Amino acid sequence: AQTVTQSQPEMSVQEAETVTLSCTYDTSESDYYLFWYKQPPSRQMILVIRQEAYKQQNATENRFSVNFQKAAKSFSLKISDSQLGDAAMYFCALSRGNTDKLIFGTGTRLQVFP
Amino acid sequence: GAVVSQHPSRVICKSGTSVKIECRSLDFQATTMFWYRQFPKQSLMLMATSNEGSKATYEQGVEKDKFLINHASLTLSTLTVTSAHPEDSSFYICSAEPRDYFSNEQFFGPGTRLTVL
């Protein structure tokens, strides 16, 4: 069975500071993808960043980067220079290579304080 | 970017009636669409996977006769909640995977809030 665990229900960060959201997962597949999605109050799911399991290099998208530790099955998201607009629910998700289902974690609510 | 729309955005219906929610990929073709349900302050739970031209695959515990899914074209999937009851009230979200993508990336619709009185 595939599982995704987010152990931080809530996190907070000061504007312009850096915050890291944790995610661990479990899968027996060798080919899979990992995602971080953002869900703001509008509830529109937005892709933040994607990581292919076969790539050793950590993905980066502007202020967002991941720390992908394949052996430890860990996939944390680092948000640098946090902005008020980063406040949202963040979901970590796993998708196996052969199927397209996304398995979501329980989410982390991020608050950003001015 | 790839855009997915949902209609309606909100619907209120009486108990016992049926409600249809549409999910459209606006600027790409999607062989696979997904339907999720999200309760307040909870994560997304996959209900079913919809493939164009074939029957939907339902997740365990989801009543296929209750939640009818039709994926009639490469840009449209519909979810019909039949004989709706108050416990069906929820936020329903669809997503679509472009047919020419190979990264398992899904693009999400804005969601539909269903309230059953």
Side-chain angles (χ1 to χ4, degrees):
Chain A
Q2 328 291 314
T3 59
V4 177
T5 302
Q6 292 179 251
S7 59
Q8 306 157 317
E10 290 192 6
M11 291 284 285
S12 61
V13 64
Q14 206 82 25
E15 199 174 7
E17 297 296 310
T18 296
V19 65
T20 299
L21 308 185
S22 301
C23 173
T24 58
Y25 63 93
D26 191 23
T27 180
S28 57
E29 303 285 334
S30 58
D31 180 22
Y32 55 91
Y33 300 88
L34 293 161
F35 305 86
W36 278 97
Y37 279 91
K38 170 185 177 181
Q39 188 178 42
S42 68
R43 303 190 79 169
Q44 171 74 59
M45 295 287 285
I46 302 166
L47 177 67
V48 175
I49 202 164
R50 176 182 68 239
Q51 175 81 43
E52 292 88 343
Y54 64 85
K55 289 187 177 179
Q56 292 185 338
Q57 187 173 8
N58 289 327
T60 299
E61 287 288 340
N62 301 314
R63 299 182 294 109
F64 299 88
S65 62
V66 298
N67 184 1
F68 175 44
Q69 301 289 326
K70 192 171 184 178
K73 296 184 177 176
S74 170
F75 183 61
S76 61
L77 174 69
K78 185 172 83 171
I79 306 174
S80 303
D81 186 24
S82 297
Q83 300 175 0
L84 295 177
D86 294 334
M89 280 291 288
Y90 286 82
F91 292 99
C92 179
L94 165 70
S95 178
R96 293 176 297 183
N98 290 335
T99 67
D100 308 322
K101 289 201 298 187
L102 277 174
I103 299 164
F104 286 92
T106 51
T108 297
R109 179 172 301 281
L110 178 66
Q111 293 182 302
V112 182
F113 294 104
Chain B
V3 180
V4 176
S5 70
Q6 271 185 251
H7 179 79
S9 58
R10 293 174 183 251
V11 57
I12 301 173
C13 69
K14 292 182 179 180
S15 187
T17 61
S18 294
V19 174
K20 180 185 285 188
I21 302 170
E22 291 187 348
C23 177
R24 292 182 185 273
S25 55
L26 298 185
D27 50 3
F28 64 96
Q29 292 183 328
T31 49
T32 305
M33 290 184 171
F34 304 87
W35 287 96
Y36 297 87
R37 184 172 180 177
Q38 186 178 32
F39 290 105
K41 298 186 178 181
Q42 293 190 22
S43 188
L44 281 71
M45 298 300 296
L46 179 66
M47 299 175 65
T49 302
S50 165
N51 291 296
E52 186 265 337
S54 63
K55 290 184 178 180
T57 302
Y58 291 82
E59 294 299 301
Q60 191 172 9
V62 177
E63 300 175 61
K64 60 182 180 183
D65 295 330
K66 173 78 169 172
F67 299 99
L68 299 178
I69 292 172
N70 186 321
H71 193 156
S73 76
L74 288 172
T75 59
L76 174 64
S77 177
T78 60
L79 168 68
T80 301
V81 184
T82 62
S83 186
H85 290 284
E87 58 265 29
D88 299 323
S89 297
S90 189
F91 194 68
Y92 293 87
I93 305 174
C94 75
S95 70
E97 183 175 289
R99 64 185 306 186
D100 53 356
Y101 273 42
F102 300 99
S103 64
N104 286 21
E105 182 176 346
Q106 296 178 22
F107 295 90
F108 287 81
T112 296
R113 182 177 301 282
L114 170 64
T115 303
V116 184
L117 303 176

